[in-house]
Amino acid sequence: CCLQLYGYCYQDSNDIPDTLTTITELGSPLEMIQLLQTSWEDRFRICLSLVRLLHYLAHSPLGSVTLLDFRPRQFVIVDGELKVTDLDDASVEESSCTSNSDCFMEFPARNFTLPCSVEGRCQSMNEKRNLYNAYRFFFTYLLPHSAPSSLRPLLDKIVNATGNHNKHVICTEYLALELSPRPSVNSEFTQKCVKSANTHKSDSFYRRVPEAFIPDENYRCWPSYHHKGCLLSVFDVNEAIEICDSYSQCKAFVLTNQTTWTGRQLVFFKMASNHIVPDPDKITYVKVTD
């Protein structure tokens, strides 16, 4: 969740005494516009790493930690996952209070008032501040945008829960449960994808050509894993057929032996099948027309 620290050293200088230099792993700056142009799975992975960060901050060895400057510029991407890089504005102090009115949180779009505990502390203010900032800066943009249609109801539920004041108490645990991949099964997400793929009825017929590839006949689509063609991830052949049917220019698709980090198969979608070449690692499906 945080950048890995490789080393540090103290150095005294005439200008700045007690200077601390740290050496950390290198990450790429987080650019939201670029993220919105990546595949939904990549953005889902970033949100998943953010959920892990929220859970860690809420249950750290120091107690509940809040990031007072919880904005994209405080994060970097390392191997496809989000990591916080600036902890200068981190705080472990829960706000003191004498009444609920002292536990007022103000944001540009919404304001919240939290309960004041008998110990004179605003209940879970650190955790809830992090959660709402994650909602307004990350989840609301990265999760629903171009998401698979079968997952949109669940994603809308998650996004609404993070932004709903009444559900803040359970949001972190709820997100960790729903977004966390499980061995061999991607929780409710995979189950919904399976259901969607198996219930799709295609009016088209596709001829299966094993050990074959279409090297040309590319067209561009968005989002794509390939900048010169239409390369998307699918759960199975049925989902690939559903995608091909949705593009008027799609006349064939090629299943590769490559997968994404979630295990979904990468598929090239083609606008013709005039030139098919042998390839032992691929399977081509050609739309049969009358």
Side-chain angles (χ1 to χ4, degrees), residues 29-284:
L30 193 152
E31 298 290 343
M32 190 61 66
I33 294 179
Q34 292 180 2
L35 285 182
L36 292 175
Q37 297 173 346
T38 62
S39 70
W40 180 82
E41 280 184 277
D42 290 341
R43 285 182 273 116
F44 170 71
R45 186 179 186 181
I46 290 173
C47 289
L48 180 60
S49 59
L50 181 54
V51 169
R52 296 192 187 103
L53 173 63
L54 291 173
H55 182 78
Y56 177 80
L57 293 175
H59 305 89
S60 80
L62 298 177
S64 182
V65 179
T66 187
L67 301 180
L68 299 176
D69 192 11
F70 200 116
R71 286 183 284 183
R73 68 183 183 185
Q74 306 293 349
F75 299 86
V76 294
I77 302 295
V78 179
D79 295 330
E81 299 200 0
L82 190 74
K83 294 192 176 184
V84 63
T85 182
D86 190 350
L87 295 175
D88 290 346
D89 296 311
S91 174
V92 296
E93 294 294 329
E94 295 278 15
S95 299
S96 59
C97 58
T98 57
S99 65
N100 291 350
S101 60
D102 295 328
C103 302
F104 181 73
M105 290 198 303
E106 183 176 7
F107 296 96
R110 298 184 66 177
N111 299 326
F112 302 128
T113 299
L114 304 178
C116 179
S117 69
V118 294
E119 293 83 12
R121 296 289 177 180
C122 296
Q123 293 184 10
S124 304
M125 178 171 277
N126 286 348
E127 179 179 4
K128 295 172 184 180
R129 180 184 288 112
N130 289 339
L131 188 58
Y132 190 77
N133 280 327
Y135 157 78
R136 70 189 187 107
F137 285 121
F138 293 97
F139 292 133
T140 190
Y141 299 108
L142 300 182
L143 272 180
H145 184 59
S146 71
S149 57
S150 59
L151 301 183
R152 285 172 187 165
L154 178 60
L155 295 173
D156 289 342
K157 181 180 177 182
I158 290 175
V159 173
N160 289 336
T162 58
N164 190 326
H165 173 242
N166 294 329
K167 296 183 179 180
H168 270 304
V169 175
I170 62 171
C171 273
T172 300
E173 289 74 17
Y174 172 75
L175 282 168
L177 173 64
E178 294 293 352
L179 292 178
S180 179
R182 303 171 188 175
S184 75
V185 178
N186 256 347
S187 187
E188 188 174 350
F189 287 93
T190 295
Q191 298 302 320
K192 286 182 176 288
C193 281
V194 172
K195 182 179 179 181
S196 174
N198 289 339
T199 56
H200 172 68
K201 302 296 183 182
S202 175
D203 294 329
S204 305
F205 175 74
Y206 288 80
R207 177 169 56 91
R208 184 177 184 270
V209 186
E211 299 185 355
F213 179 61
I214 303 174
D216 302 312
E217 309 295 349
N218 290 315
Y219 66 90
R220 294 184 179 181
C221 66
W222 184 89
S224 173
Y225 286 91
H226 194 281
H227 69 282
K228 292 185 178 180
C230 187
L231 179 63
L232 304 174
S233 67
V234 302
F235 178 78
D236 62 4
V237 174
N238 287 326
E239 187 177 354
I241 291 174
E242 182 179 2
I243 292 174
C244 192
D245 285 348
S246 68
Y247 286 97
S248 60
Q249 64 266 54
C250 183
K251 306 301 180 184
F253 60 87
V254 181
L255 270 64
T256 73
N257 61 354
Q258 297 176 298
T259 59
T260 65
W261 70 278
T262 58
R264 287 169 61 86
Q265 193 169 9
L266 289 177
V267 176
F268 279 104
F269 293 89
K270 305 287 185 173
M271 60 183 180
S273 57
N274 299 324
H275 181 48
I276 299 179
V277 300
D279 191 321
D281 297 325
K282 296 179 178 63
I283 302 174
T284 293

